[in-house]
mmCIF file of all heavy atoms in Angstrom:
data_model
loop_
_atom_site.group_PDB
_atom_site.id
_atom_site.type_symbol
_atom_site.label_atom_id
_atom_site.label_comp_id
_atom_site.label_asym_id
_atom_site.label_seq_id
_atom_site.Cartn_x
_atom_site.Cartn_y
_atom_site.Cartn_z
ATOM 1 N N MET A 3 12.668 21.982 -35.455
ATOM 2 C CA MET A 3 12.467 20.571 -35.206
ATOM 3 C C MET A 3 13.023 19.754 -36.363
ATOM 4 O O MET A 3 12.786 20.061 -37.518
ATOM 5 C CB MET A 3 10.978 20.280 -35.032
ATOM 6 C CG MET A 3 10.671 18.833 -34.706
ATOM 7 S SD MET A 3 8.884 18.517 -34.773
ATOM 8 C CE MET A 3 8.626 18.672 -36.547
ATOM 9 N N TYR A 18 13.431 13.047 -32.572
ATOM 10 C CA TYR A 18 13.158 14.472 -32.690
ATOM 11 C C TYR A 18 14.153 15.250 -31.837
ATOM 12 O O TYR A 18 14.695 14.728 -30.849
ATOM 13 C CB TYR A 18 11.734 14.812 -32.232
ATOM 14 C CG TYR A 18 10.635 14.232 -33.100
ATOM 15 C CD1 TYR A 18 10.045 13.021 -32.784
ATOM 16 C CD2 TYR A 18 10.169 14.908 -34.213
ATOM 17 C CE1 TYR A 18 9.028 12.493 -33.563
ATOM 18 C CE2 TYR A 18 9.150 14.394 -35.003
ATOM 19 C CZ TYR A 18 8.587 13.187 -34.664
ATOM 20 O OH TYR A 18 7.580 12.676 -35.434
ATOM 21 N N LYS A 20 13.113 17.952 -30.319
ATOM 22 C CA LYS A 20 12.261 18.403 -29.228
ATOM 23 C C LYS A 20 10.904 17.732 -29.391
ATOM 24 O O LYS A 20 10.645 17.061 -30.398
ATOM 25 C CB LYS A 20 12.115 19.924 -29.239
ATOM 26 C CG LYS A 20 11.409 20.466 -30.471
ATOM 27 C CD LYS A 20 11.241 21.977 -30.396
ATOM 28 C CE LYS A 20 10.494 22.496 -31.616
ATOM 29 N NZ LYS A 20 10.296 23.967 -31.534
ATOM 30 N N VAL A 21 10.041 17.881 -28.410
ATOM 31 C CA VAL A 21 8.714 17.275 -28.480
ATOM 32 C C VAL A 21 7.989 17.825 -29.710
ATOM 33 O O VAL A 21 7.821 19.044 -29.842
ATOM 34 C CB VAL A 21 7.915 17.577 -27.199
ATOM 35 C CG1 VAL A 21 6.525 16.961 -27.292
ATOM 36 C CG2 VAL A 21 8.650 17.042 -25.982
ATOM 37 N N PRO A 22 7.541 16.965 -30.621
ATOM 38 C CA PRO A 22 7.075 17.457 -31.922
ATOM 39 C C PRO A 22 5.736 18.179 -31.878
ATOM 40 O O PRO A 22 5.466 19.024 -32.742
ATOM 41 C CB PRO A 22 6.970 16.176 -32.760
ATOM 42 C CG PRO A 22 6.798 15.081 -31.767
ATOM 43 C CD PRO A 22 7.578 15.497 -30.550
ATOM 44 N N ASP A 23 4.848 17.842 -30.931
ATOM 45 C CA ASP A 23 3.498 18.414 -30.921
ATOM 46 C C ASP A 23 2.786 18.153 -32.238
ATOM 47 O O ASP A 23 2.052 19.003 -32.756
ATOM 48 C CB ASP A 23 3.523 19.919 -30.625
ATOM 49 C CG ASP A 23 3.217 20.218 -29.159
ATOM 50 O OD1 ASP A 23 2.444 19.454 -28.553
ATOM 51 O OD2 ASP A 23 3.759 21.184 -28.616
ATOM 52 N N GLY A 24 3.004 16.985 -32.804
ATOM 53 C CA GLY A 24 2.388 16.626 -34.077
ATOM 54 C C GLY A 24 3.164 15.504 -34.733
ATOM 55 O O GLY A 24 3.601 14.569 -34.068
ATOM 56 N N GLY A 25 3.377 15.606 -36.047
ATOM 57 C CA GLY A 25 4.127 14.578 -36.756
ATOM 58 C C GLY A 25 3.407 13.230 -36.681
ATOM 59 O O GLY A 25 2.198 13.122 -36.897
ATOM 60 N N TRP A 26 4.175 12.183 -36.361
ATOM 61 C CA TRP A 26 3.593 10.848 -36.198
ATOM 62 C C TRP A 26 2.647 10.795 -34.997
ATOM 63 O O TRP A 26 1.862 9.859 -34.857
ATOM 64 C CB TRP A 26 4.696 9.809 -36.059
ATOM 65 C CG TRP A 26 4.202 8.395 -36.124
ATOM 66 C CD1 TRP A 26 3.992 7.543 -35.086
ATOM 67 C CD2 TRP A 26 3.849 7.666 -37.304
ATOM 68 N NE1 TRP A 26 3.529 6.337 -35.528
ATOM 69 C CE2 TRP A 26 3.431 6.388 -36.897
ATOM 70 C CE3 TRP A 26 3.837 7.980 -38.663
ATOM 71 C CZ2 TRP A 26 3.015 5.407 -37.800
ATOM 72 C CZ3 TRP A 26 3.413 7.005 -39.556
ATOM 73 C CH2 TRP A 26 3.011 5.744 -39.126
ATOM 74 N N GLY A 27 2.700 11.803 -34.163
ATOM 75 C CA GLY A 27 1.804 11.853 -33.015
ATOM 76 C C GLY A 27 0.335 11.864 -33.408
ATOM 77 O O GLY A 27 -0.519 11.367 -32.654
ATOM 78 N N GLN A 145 3.796 11.533 -24.743
ATOM 79 C CA GLN A 145 5.187 11.834 -25.083
ATOM 80 C C GLN A 145 5.314 12.564 -26.425
ATOM 81 O O GLN A 145 6.298 13.242 -26.663
ATOM 82 C CB GLN A 145 5.997 10.538 -25.119
ATOM 83 C CG GLN A 145 6.079 9.834 -23.772
ATOM 84 C CD GLN A 145 6.761 8.479 -23.861
ATOM 85 O OE1 GLN A 145 7.194 8.065 -24.937
ATOM 86 N NE2 GLN A 145 6.848 7.782 -22.747
ATOM 87 N N TYR A 146 4.332 12.422 -27.295
ATOM 88 C CA TYR A 146 4.376 13.064 -28.606
ATOM 89 C C TYR A 146 3.893 14.506 -28.581
ATOM 90 O O TYR A 146 4.062 15.229 -29.557
ATOM 91 C CB TYR A 146 3.531 12.278 -29.611
ATOM 92 C CG TYR A 146 4.293 11.213 -30.367
ATOM 93 C CD1 TYR A 146 4.295 9.889 -29.931
ATOM 94 C CD2 TYR A 146 5.010 11.518 -31.506
ATOM 95 C CE1 TYR A 146 4.988 8.906 -30.617
ATOM 96 C CE2 TYR A 146 5.709 10.548 -32.205
ATOM 97 C CZ TYR A 146 5.696 9.244 -31.755
ATOM 98 O OH TYR A 146 6.404 8.277 -32.430
ATOM 99 N N PHE A 147 3.268 14.942 -27.478
ATOM 100 C CA PHE A 147 2.704 16.288 -27.423
ATOM 101 C C PHE A 147 3.117 16.964 -26.125
ATOM 102 O O PHE A 147 3.318 16.303 -25.097
ATOM 103 C CB PHE A 147 1.168 16.235 -27.523
ATOM 104 C CG PHE A 147 0.659 15.795 -28.860
ATOM 105 C CD1 PHE A 147 0.430 14.445 -29.118
ATOM 106 C CD2 PHE A 147 0.433 16.711 -29.874
ATOM 107 C CE1 PHE A 147 -0.033 14.025 -30.350
ATOM 108 C CE2 PHE A 147 -0.028 16.300 -31.117
ATOM 109 C CZ PHE A 147 -0.257 14.956 -31.352
ATOM 110 N N ASP A 148 3.233 18.286 -26.196
ATOM 111 C CA ASP A 148 3.571 19.088 -25.029
ATOM 112 C C ASP A 148 2.533 20.197 -24.840
ATOM 113 O O ASP A 148 1.685 20.124 -23.951
ATOM 114 C CB ASP A 148 4.975 19.670 -25.179
ATOM 115 C CG ASP A 148 5.404 20.471 -23.963
ATOM 116 O OD1 ASP A 148 4.774 20.323 -22.905
ATOM 117 O OD2 ASP A 148 6.372 21.259 -24.072
ATOM 118 N N ARG A 150 0.041 20.969 -26.829
ATOM 119 C CA ARG A 150 -1.295 20.525 -27.220
ATOM 120 C C ARG A 150 -1.727 19.250 -26.507
ATOM 121 O O ARG A 150 -2.730 18.638 -26.877
ATOM 122 C CB ARG A 150 -1.331 20.271 -28.736
ATOM 123 C CG ARG A 150 -0.963 21.466 -29.594
ATOM 124 C CD ARG A 150 -0.894 21.051 -31.049
ATOM 125 N NE ARG A 150 -0.529 22.161 -31.924
ATOM 126 C CZ ARG A 150 -0.268 22.020 -33.222
ATOM 127 N NH1 ARG A 150 -0.332 20.822 -33.781
ATOM 128 N NH2 ARG A 150 0.051 23.069 -33.950
ATOM 129 N N ILE A 206 9.259 6.995 -29.554
ATOM 130 C CA ILE A 206 9.777 8.341 -29.789
ATOM 131 C C ILE A 206 11.021 8.558 -28.951
ATOM 132 O O ILE A 206 11.106 8.119 -27.793
ATOM 133 C CB ILE A 206 8.708 9.412 -29.465
ATOM 134 C CG1 ILE A 206 9.260 10.822 -29.702
ATOM 135 C CG2 ILE A 206 8.181 9.254 -28.061
ATOM 136 C CD1 ILE A 206 8.223 11.911 -29.549
ATOM 137 N N ILE A 208 13.765 11.730 -27.914
ATOM 138 C CA ILE A 208 14.051 13.163 -27.930
ATOM 139 C C ILE A 208 15.542 13.367 -27.683
ATOM 140 O O ILE A 208 16.071 12.965 -26.646
ATOM 141 C CB ILE A 208 13.235 13.923 -26.872
ATOM 142 C CG1 ILE A 208 11.744 13.628 -27.054
ATOM 143 C CG2 ILE A 208 13.506 15.409 -26.937
ATOM 144 C CD1 ILE A 208 11.184 14.113 -28.369
#
Side-chain angles (χ1 to χ4, degrees):
M3 183 189 69
Y18 294 94
K20 64 178 182 179
V21 179
D23 261 328
W26 190 259
Q145 296 174 1
Y146 269 95
F147 292 90
D148 182 17
R150 302 174 181 173
I206 180 174
I208 305 296

